[in-house]
Amino acid sequence: MPLLISMVGRKIDILGKIAIWLPWNIVGNATFDSNTNRIIMAWNTTDGFVRCFIVGFIGVVLFYTLGLIMFKKKEIR
């Protein structure tokens, strides 16, 4: 799904902005520094760390709310 949104986001600007914030795209945009033989991940920078933190928080709230709504009418035994 994130890859599909990224491809469509090349044509539609708002989907491109949404695709940048998807977790798969944050992790998938790692680069390799051949001088130091290290992988540079998004959370190595301050902006990247804040972005990862915000996306994680939104994901937790979204799935927590979704779980409450889905299990509201069901009794778990």
Side-chain angles (χ1 to χ4, degrees):
M1 192 65 151
L3 296 175
L4 179 66
I5 293 173
S6 292
M7 287 190 290
V8 175
R10 293 179 185 150
K11 298 285 184 183
I12 302 171
D13 190 44
I14 189 72
L15 286 179
K17 291 180 182 178
I18 291 171
I20 292 172
W21 285 85
L22 294 175
W24 176 261
N25 293 332
I26 290 175
V27 174
N29 289 335
T31 56
F32 182 74
D33 185 8
S34 59
N35 295 330
T36 61
N37 290 332
R38 291 183 165 206
I39 297 174
I40 302 170
M41 301 300 286
W43 49 83
N44 285 349
T45 63
T46 304
D47 290 341
F49 180 76
V50 170
R51 180 177 288 184
C52 290
F53 190 78
I54 290 170
V55 167
F57 183 75
I58 290 170
V60 167
V61 169
L62 178 73
F63 285 105
Y64 178 76
T65 306
L66 185 64
L68 286 177
I69 291 170
M70 291 186 69
F71 289 115
K72 188 175 185 178
K73 297 179 182 178
K74 296 179 184 177
E75 186 175 331
I76 301 174
R77 292 183 186 210

